[in-house]
PDB file of all heavy atoms in Angstrom:
ATOM      1  N   THR M 438      70.267  75.388 124.218  1.00 93.00           N
ATOM      2  CA  THR M 438      70.054  74.011 124.649  1.00 93.00           C
ATOM      3  C   THR M 438      68.506  73.794 124.855  1.00 93.00           C
ATOM      4  O   THR M 438      67.998  72.637 124.535  1.00 93.00           O
ATOM      5  CB  THR M 438      70.762  73.739 125.960  1.00 93.00           C
ATOM      6  OG1 THR M 438      70.490  74.717 126.919  1.00 93.00           O
ATOM      7  CG2 THR M 438      72.239  73.653 125.759  1.00 93.00           C
ATOM      8  N   ASP M 439      67.764  74.795 125.438  1.00 91.00           N
ATOM      9  CA  ASP M 439      66.375  74.699 125.575  1.00 91.00           C
ATOM     10  C   ASP M 439      65.696  74.564 124.232  1.00 91.00           C
ATOM     11  O   ASP M 439      64.751  73.759 124.015  1.00 91.00           O
ATOM     12  CB  ASP M 439      65.791  75.887 126.330  1.00 91.00           C
ATOM     13  CG  ASP M 439      66.355  76.054 127.665  1.00 91.00           C
ATOM     14  OD1 ASP M 439      66.319  75.076 128.463  1.00 91.00           O
ATOM     15  OD2 ASP M 439      66.865  77.137 128.000  1.00 91.00           O
ATOM     16  N   ALA M 440      66.107  75.474 123.281  1.00 93.00           N
ATOM     17  CA  ALA M 440      65.540  75.419 121.975  1.00 93.00           C
ATOM     18  C   ALA M 440      65.729  74.042 121.271  1.00 93.00           C
ATOM     19  O   ALA M 440      64.831  73.512 120.645  1.00 93.00           O
ATOM     20  CB  ALA M 440      66.172  76.479 121.102  1.00 93.00           C
ATOM     21  N   ARG M 441      66.939  73.470 121.450  1.00 92.00           N
ATOM     22  CA  ARG M 441      67.248  72.188 120.853  1.00 92.00           C
ATOM     23  C   ARG M 441      66.384  71.066 121.476  1.00 92.00           C
ATOM     24  O   ARG M 441      65.808  70.197 120.822  1.00 92.00           O
ATOM     25  CB  ARG M 441      68.708  71.848 120.944  1.00 92.00           C
ATOM     26  CG  ARG M 441      69.084  70.702 120.019  1.00 92.00           C
ATOM     27  CD  ARG M 441      70.567  70.405 119.999  1.00 92.00           C
ATOM     28  NE  ARG M 441      71.279  71.459 119.320  1.00 92.00           N
ATOM     29  CZ  ARG M 441      72.550  71.324 118.830  1.00 92.00           C
ATOM     30  NH1 ARG M 441      73.151  70.150 119.014  1.00 92.00           N
ATOM     31  NH2 ARG M 441      73.149  72.303 118.307  1.00 92.00           N
ATOM     32  N   ALA M 442      66.213  71.133 122.845  1.00 90.00           N
ATOM     33  CA  ALA M 442      65.426  70.158 123.531  1.00 90.00           C
ATOM     34  C   ALA M 442      63.959  70.204 123.137  1.00 90.00           C
ATOM     35  O   ALA M 442      63.266  69.231 123.175  1.00 90.00           O
ATOM     36  CB  ALA M 442      65.559  70.399 125.069  1.00 90.00           C
ATOM     37  N   ALA M 443      63.494  71.441 122.735  1.00 90.00           N
ATOM     38  CA  ALA M 443      62.063  71.549 122.399  1.00 90.00           C
ATOM     39  C   ALA M 443      61.813  70.994 121.002  1.00 90.00           C
ATOM     40  O   ALA M 443      60.621  70.823 120.566  1.00 90.00           O
ATOM     41  CB  ALA M 443      61.666  73.021 122.460  1.00 90.00           C
ATOM     42  N   GLN M 444      62.874  70.677 120.294  1.00 89.00           N
ATOM     43  CA  GLN M 444      62.730  70.063 118.952  1.00 89.00           C
ATOM     44  C   GLN M 444      61.804  70.854 118.026  1.00 89.00           C
ATOM     45  O   GLN M 444      62.032  72.028 117.791  1.00 89.00           O
ATOM     46  CB  GLN M 444      62.347  68.587 119.066  1.00 89.00           C
ATOM     47  CG  GLN M 444      63.415  67.762 119.806  1.00 89.00           C
ATOM     48  CD  GLN M 444      62.957  66.361 120.019  1.00 89.00           C
ATOM     49  OE1 GLN M 444      61.829  66.038 119.937  1.00 89.00           O
ATOM     50  NE2 GLN M 444      63.946  65.504 120.386  1.00 89.00           N
ATOM     51  N   ASP M 445      60.770  70.159 117.448  1.00 92.00           N
ATOM     52  CA  ASP M 445      59.979  70.846 116.436  1.00 92.00           C
ATOM     53  C   ASP M 445      58.836  71.664 117.051  1.00 92.00           C
ATOM     54  O   ASP M 445      58.000  72.173 116.328  1.00 92.00           O
ATOM     55  CB  ASP M 445      59.368  69.816 115.410  1.00 92.00           C
ATOM     56  CG  ASP M 445      58.595  68.698 116.091  1.00 92.00           C
ATOM     57  OD1 ASP M 445      58.579  68.714 117.337  1.00 92.00           O
ATOM     58  OD2 ASP M 445      58.075  67.847 115.400  1.00 92.00           O
ATOM     59  N   LYS M 446      58.794  71.771 118.415  1.00 93.00           N
ATOM     60  CA  LYS M 446      57.770  72.601 119.009  1.00 93.00           C
ATOM     61  C   LYS M 446      58.021  74.057 118.847  1.00 93.00           C
ATOM     62  O   LYS M 446      57.156  74.961 119.086  1.00 93.00           O
ATOM     63  CB  LYS M 446      57.612  72.297 120.493  1.00 93.00           C
ATOM     64  CG  LYS M 446      57.046  70.891 120.757  1.00 93.00           C
ATOM     65  CD  LYS M 446      56.540  70.790 122.136  1.00 93.00           C
ATOM     66  CE  LYS M 446      56.432  69.348 122.587  1.00 93.00           C
ATOM     67  NZ  LYS M 446      57.713  68.818 123.109  1.00 93.00           N
ATOM     68  N   VAL M 447      59.276  74.424 118.494  1.00 94.00           N
ATOM     69  CA  VAL M 447      59.614  75.840 118.202  1.00 94.00           C
ATOM     70  C   VAL M 447      60.512  75.933 117.014  1.00 94.00           C
ATOM     71  O   VAL M 447      61.187  74.904 116.600  1.00 94.00           O
ATOM     72  CB  VAL M 447      60.436  76.439 119.483  1.00 94.00           C
ATOM     73  CG1 VAL M 447      59.568  76.550 120.664  1.00 94.00           C
ATOM     74  CG2 VAL M 447      61.719  75.676 119.728  1.00 94.00           C
ATOM     75  N   THR M 448      60.556  77.121 116.414  1.00 95.00           N
ATOM     76  CA  THR M 448      61.510  77.401 115.350  1.00 95.00           C
ATOM     77  C   THR M 448      62.565  78.267 115.951  1.00 95.00           C
ATOM     78  O   THR M 448      62.228  79.295 116.550  1.00 95.00           O
ATOM     79  CB  THR M 448      60.814  78.052 114.171  1.00 95.00           C
ATOM     80  OG1 THR M 448      59.692  77.272 113.808  1.00 95.00           O
ATOM     81  CG2 THR M 448      61.740  78.271 113.015  1.00 95.00           C
ATOM     82  N   THR M 449      63.811  77.930 115.675  1.00 95.00           N
ATOM     83  CA  THR M 449      64.931  78.719 116.276  1.00 95.00           C
ATOM     84  C   THR M 449      65.397  79.765 115.232  1.00 95.00           C
ATOM     85  O   THR M 449      65.593  79.383 114.071  1.00 95.00           O
ATOM     86  CB  THR M 449      66.040  77.778 116.632  1.00 95.00           C
ATOM     87  OG1 THR M 449      65.562  76.800 117.520  1.00 95.00           O
ATOM     88  CG2 THR M 449      67.223  78.520 117.303  1.00 95.00           C
ATOM     89  N   ILE M 450      65.620  80.986 115.716  1.00 95.00           N
ATOM     90  CA  ILE M 450      66.122  82.067 114.862  1.00 95.00           C
ATOM     91  C   ILE M 450      67.375  82.537 115.614  1.00 95.00           C
ATOM     92  O   ILE M 450      67.293  83.133 116.688  1.00 95.00           O
ATOM     93  CB  ILE M 450      65.107  83.152 114.701  1.00 95.00           C
ATOM     94  CG1 ILE M 450      63.875  82.676 113.959  1.00 95.00           C
ATOM     95  CG2 ILE M 450      65.699  84.349 113.931  1.00 95.00           C
ATOM     96  CD1 ILE M 450      62.669  83.578 114.019  1.00 95.00           C
ATOM     97  N   PRO M 451      68.577  82.391 114.997  1.00 93.00           N
ATOM     98  CA  PRO M 451      69.783  82.828 115.665  1.00 93.00           C
ATOM     99  C   PRO M 451      69.763  84.387 115.849  1.00 93.00           C
ATOM    100  O   PRO M 451      69.234  85.109 115.094  1.00 93.00           O
ATOM    101  CB  PRO M 451      70.905  82.422 114.665  1.00 93.00           C
ATOM    102  CG  PRO M 451      70.289  81.412 113.810  1.00 93.00           C
ATOM    103  CD  PRO M 451      68.823  81.732 113.729  1.00 93.00           C
ATOM    104  N   LEU M 452      70.401  84.829 116.991  1.00 93.00           N
ATOM    105  CA  LEU M 452      70.365  86.239 117.318  1.00 93.00           C
ATOM    106  C   LEU M 452      71.268  86.950 116.324  1.00 93.00           C
ATOM    107  O   LEU M 452      71.110  88.193 116.057  1.00 93.00           O
ATOM    108  CB  LEU M 452      70.790  86.517 118.731  1.00 93.00           C
ATOM    109  CG  LEU M 452      69.872  85.947 119.787  1.00 93.00           C
ATOM    110  CD1 LEU M 452      70.394  86.336 121.193  1.00 93.00           C
ATOM    111  CD2 LEU M 452      68.410  86.553 119.604  1.00 93.00           C
ATOM    112  N   GLY M 453      72.295  86.295 115.768  1.00 89.00           N
ATOM    113  CA  GLY M 453      73.236  86.891 114.853  1.00 89.00           C
ATOM    114  C   GLY M 453      74.083  87.970 115.494  1.00 89.00           C
ATOM    115  O   GLY M 453      74.374  89.019 114.822  1.00 89.00           O
ATOM    116  N   LEU M 454      74.588  87.775 116.721  1.00 91.00           N
ATOM    117  CA  LEU M 454      75.382  88.720 117.374  1.00 91.00           C
ATOM    118  C   LEU M 454      76.851  88.291 117.168  1.00 91.00           C
ATOM    119  O   LEU M 454      77.171  87.125 117.170  1.00 91.00           O
ATOM    120  CB  LEU M 454      75.059  88.797 118.825  1.00 91.00           C
ATOM    121  CG  LEU M 454      73.668  89.220 119.230  1.00 91.00           C
ATOM    122  CD1 LEU M 454      73.463  89.110 120.726  1.00 91.00           C
ATOM    123  CD2 LEU M 454      73.429  90.669 118.766  1.00 91.00           C
TER     124      LEU M 454
END
Side-chain angles (χ1 to χ4, degrees):
Chain M
T438 52
D439 299 306
R441 192 174 292 195
Q444 295 174 348
D445 56 356
K446 291 198 201 84
V447 294
T448 305
T449 303
I450 298 167
L452 294 182
L454 298 174

